[in-house]
Amino acid sequence: IKDSRERLTEIENEFKEIKKDKNSYMMADEKLSTNLEGVFVAGDVRSGATKQVVVACSDGAVAALSARNFINH
C-alpha cells in the first residue's frame, strides 16, 4: 500500500509494469485493478481520476473491497 504522501516517482519506480495513459497516470478498470494481478490503484495516481480528496477516498474504498475480493477468491 502506497499513499500520496510518498513521492509519485517512488511509486512509479516500484510499479514500472503498470500500464499508464499518455499523461503517465496509472490505468485501471472499474474495480481499480491494474494490468498486474493483485495490484490496485486509487486517487491521484489513477488515470481519469478527479484530483479531489473525496474522489480519492471513494477510490480507496473501491480498491480495498476489490483487493479483499481478490484475496478471498
Side-chain angles (χ1 to χ4, degrees):
I1 296 176
K2 301 288 183 180
D3 66 34
S4 62
R5 291 176 293 189
E6 297 182 57
R7 291 181 36 212
L8 183 57
T9 53
E10 292 176 23
I11 296 169
E12 288 177 329
N13 286 336
E14 189 168 342
F15 297 104
K16 291 179 184 178
E17 302 86 15
I18 294 176
K19 290 184 181 178
K20 297 176 184 73
D21 68 12
K22 65 180 181 175
N23 296 314
S24 297
Y25 288 103
M26 297 177 185
M27 298 175 67
D29 63 17
E30 67 279 352
K31 294 181 181 177
L32 302 183
S33 178
T34 67
N35 61 298
L36 299 181
E37 184 177 17
V39 178
F40 303 85
V41 296
D44 292 352
V45 299
R46 183 174 67 84
S47 177
T50 304
K51 309 306 179 229
Q52 297 177 354
V53 172
V54 70
V55 174
C57 292
S58 173
D59 278 0
V62 171
L65 291 171
S66 294
R68 182 187 70 183
N69 290 336
F70 174 80
I71 291 168
N72 289 332
H73 292 98

